[in-house]
Coordinates of all heavy atoms in Angstrom, one line a residue:
A189 N -21.0 34.6 4.8 CA -21.7 33.8 5.9 C -22.2 32.5 5.3 O -22.1 31.4 5.8 CB -22.7 34.5 6.7
V190 N -22.8 32.6 4.1 CA -23.4 31.5 3.5 C -22.4 30.4 3.1 O -22.4 29.2 3.3 CB -24.3 31.8 2.3 CG1 -24.6 30.6 1.5 CG2 -25.5 32.5 2.7
L191 N -21.3 31.0 2.5 CA -20.1 30.1 2.1 C -19.5 29.4 3.3 O -19.1 28.2 3.3 CB -19.1 30.9 1.3 CG -19.5 31.4 0.0 CD1 -18.4 32.3 -0.6 CD2 -19.8 30.2 -1.0
L192 N -19.3 30.2 4.4 CA -18.8 29.5 5.6 C -19.7 28.4 6.1 O -19.2 27.3 6.5 CB -18.6 30.6 6.7 CG -17.4 31.5 6.5 CD1 -17.5 32.6 7.6 CD2 -16.1 30.7 6.7
G193 N -21.0 28.6 6.1 CA -21.9 27.7 6.6 C -21.9 26.4 5.6 O -21.9 25.3 6.2
C194 N -21.8 26.5 4.4 CA -21.8 25.4 3.5 C -20.4 24.7 3.7 O -20.4 23.4 3.6 CB -21.8 25.9 2.0 SG -23.5 26.6 1.6
F195 N -19.4 25.4 3.8 CA -18.1 24.7 4.0 C -18.0 23.9 5.3 O -17.6 22.7 5.4 CB -16.9 25.7 4.1 CG -15.6 25.1 3.9 CD1 -14.9 24.8 2.8 CD2 -14.8 24.7 5.2 CE1 -13.7 24.2 2.8 CE2 -13.6 24.1 5.1 CZ -13.1 23.9 3.9
T196 N -18.6 24.4 6.4 CA -18.7 23.7 7.7 C -19.4 22.5 7.6 O -19.0 21.4 8.0 CB -19.3 24.7 8.8 OG1 -18.5 25.8 9.0 CG2 -19.4 23.9 10.1
H197 N -20.5 22.6 6.9 CA -21.5 21.4 6.7 C -20.6 20.3 5.9 O -20.7 19.1 6.3 CB -22.7 21.8 6.0 CG -23.6 20.6 5.8 ND1 -24.3 20.0 6.8 CD2 -23.9 20.0 4.6 CE1 -25.1 19.0 6.2 NE2 -24.8 18.9 4.9
A198 N -20.0 20.7 4.8 CA -19.3 19.7 4.1 C -18.1 19.1 4.8 O -17.9 17.8 4.8 CB -18.7 20.4 2.8
F199 N -17.4 19.9 5.6 CA -16.3 19.4 6.4 C -16.8 18.5 7.4 O -16.3 17.3 7.7 CB -15.6 20.6 7.0 CG -15.0 20.3 8.3 CD1 -14.0 19.4 8.5 CD2 -15.5 20.9 9.5 CE1 -13.4 19.1 9.7 CE2 -15.0 20.6 10.8 CZ -13.9 19.7 10.8
A200 N -17.9 18.8 8.1 CA -18.4 17.9 9.1 C -18.9 16.6 8.6 O -18.7 15.5 9.3 CB -19.6 18.6 9.9
Q201 N -19.5 16.6 7.4 CA -19.9 15.3 6.8 C -18.7 14.4 6.4 O -18.7 13.2 6.6 CB -20.8 15.6 5.6 CG -22.1 16.3 5.9 CD -22.9 15.4 6.7 OE1 -23.1 14.2 6.4 NE2 -23.7 16.0 7.7
E202 N -17.7 15.1 5.9 CA -16.5 14.4 5.5 C -15.7 13.7 6.6 O -15.2 12.7 6.6 CB -15.5 15.3 4.7 CG -14.3 14.6 4.1 CD -13.4 15.6 3.5 OE1 -13.8 16.8 3.4 OE2 -12.4 15.2 3.0
L203 N -15.5 14.4 7.7 CA -14.8 14.0 8.9 C -15.6 13.1 9.7 O -16.3 13.5 10.6 CB -14.2 15.2 9.7 CG -13.3 14.9 10.9 CD1 -12.1 14.2 10.3 CD2 -12.9 16.2 11.6
S204 N -15.4 11.8 9.5 CA -16.2 10.8 10.2 C -15.2 9.7 10.6 O -14.1 9.6 10.1 CB -17.3 10.2 9.4 OG -16.7 9.7 8.1
W205 N -15.7 8.8 11.6 CA -14.9 7.8 12.1 C -14.5 6.8 11.1 O -15.4 6.3 10.3 CB -15.6 7.1 13.3 CG -14.9 6.2 14.1 CD1 -14.6 4.9 14.1 CD2 -13.9 6.6 15.2 NE1 -13.8 4.4 14.9 CE2 -13.3 5.5 15.7 CE3 -13.7 7.9 15.8 CZ2 -12.4 5.5 16.8 CZ3 -12.8 7.9 16.9 CH2 -12.2 6.8 17.3
P206 N -13.2 6.3 11.1 CA -12.7 5.4 10.0 C -13.5 4.0 10.3 O -13.5 3.5 11.3 CB -11.3 5.2 10.3 CG -11.0 5.7 11.7 CD -12.1 6.8 12.0
G207 N -14.1 3.6 9.2 CA -14.8 2.3 9.3 C -14.0 1.0 9.3 O -14.4 0.0 9.9
D208 N -12.9 1.0 8.7 CA -12.0 -0.1 8.5 C -10.7 0.2 9.2 O -10.0 1.0 8.7 CB -11.8 -0.4 7.0 CG -11.0 -1.7 6.8 OD1 -10.7 -2.4 7.9 OD2 -10.6 -2.0 5.7
L209 N -10.3 -0.5 10.2 CA -9.0 -0.3 10.9 C -8.0 -1.4 10.5 O -7.0 -1.5 11.3 CB -9.3 -0.3 12.4 CG -10.2 0.8 13.0 CD1 -10.3 0.7 14.5 CD2 -9.7 2.2 12.6
S210 N -8.2 -2.1 9.5 CA -7.3 -3.2 9.2 C -5.9 -2.6 8.8 O -4.9 -3.2 9.1 CB -7.8 -4.0 8.0 OG -8.0 -3.1 6.8
A211 N -5.9 -1.4 8.3 CA -4.5 -0.8 7.9 C -3.8 -0.4 9.1 O -2.5 -0.2 9.1 CB -4.8 0.4 7.1
Y212 N -4.4 -0.4 10.3 CA -3.7 0.0 11.6 C -3.2 -1.3 12.3 O -2.4 -1.1 13.2 CB -4.7 0.6 12.6 CG -5.3 1.9 12.1 CD1 -6.2 2.1 11.1 CD2 -4.9 3.1 12.7 CE1 -6.8 3.3 10.7 CE2 -5.4 4.3 12.4 CZ -6.3 4.4 11.3 OH -6.8 5.6 10.9
Q213 N -3.6 -2.5 11.8 CA -3.2 -3.7 12.6 C -1.7 -4.1 12.2 O -1.5 -4.4 11.0 CB -4.1 -4.8 12.2 CG -5.5 -4.5 12.7 CD -5.7 -4.5 14.2 OE1 -4.9 -5.1 14.9 NE2 -6.8 -3.7 14.7
P214 N -0.8 -4.1 13.2 CA 0.5 -4.6 13.0 C 0.6 -6.1 12.7 O -0.2 -6.9 13.3 CB 1.3 -4.1 14.2 CG 0.3 -4.1 15.3 CD -1.0 -3.8 14.6
A215 N 1.6 -6.5 11.9 CA 1.9 -7.9 11.8 C 2.6 -8.3 13.1 O 3.5 -7.6 13.6 CB 2.8 -8.2 10.6
V216 N 2.3 -9.4 13.7 CA 2.8 -9.9 15.0 C 3.9 -10.9 14.8 O 3.8 -11.8 13.9 CB 1.7 -10.5 15.8 CG1 2.2 -10.9 17.2 CG2 0.5 -9.5 16.0
P217 N 5.1 -10.7 15.5 CA 6.2 -11.6 15.2 C 5.8 -13.1 15.8 O 5.0 -13.2 16.7 CB 7.3 -11.0 16.1 CG 6.6 -10.2 17.1 CD 5.4 -9.7 16.5
R218 N 6.4 -14.0 15.2 CA 6.4 -15.4 15.6 C 7.7 -15.9 16.0 O 8.6 -15.7 15.3 CB 5.6 -16.3 14.6 CG 4.2 -15.9 14.3 CD 3.5 -16.9 13.3 NE 2.2 -16.5 13.0 CZ 1.3 -17.1 12.2 NH1 1.8 -18.3 11.7 NH2 0.1 -16.8 12.1
F219 N 7.8 -16.7 17.0 CA 9.1 -17.1 17.6 C 9.1 -18.6 17.6 O 8.1 -19.3 17.9 CB 9.3 -16.5 18.9 CG 9.3 -15.0 19.0 CD1 8.1 -14.4 19.5 CD2 10.3 -14.3 18.5 CE1 8.1 -13.0 19.6 CE2 10.2 -12.9 18.5 CZ 9.1 -12.3 19.0
R220 N 10.3 -19.1 17.4 CA 10.5 -20.5 17.5 C 10.4 -20.9 19.0 O 10.7 -20.1 19.9 CB 11.9 -21.0 17.0 CG 12.0 -20.8 15.5 CD 13.4 -21.2 15.0 NE 13.7 -22.6 15.3 CZ 14.8 -23.1 15.0 NH1 15.8 -22.4 14.3 NH2 15.1 -24.4 15.3

């Protein structure tokens, strides 16, 4: 039970909202 509790706490701390979304931004085409 103690190990499960520790693992849950570590997992919850690790899984957080991504702070930087620049990698998600697509390059936009440009047209003449």
Side-chain angles (χ1 to χ4, degrees):
V190 170
L191 289 175
L192 282 172
C194 292
F195 190 90
T196 298
H197 178 74
F199 148 67
Q201 292 295 318
E202 180 185 358
L203 186 59
S204 58
W205 193 263
D208 182 7
L209 296 181
S210 59
Y212 295 72
Q213 297 293 333
V216 180
R218 296 185 177 182
F219 303 102
R220 296 178 59 182

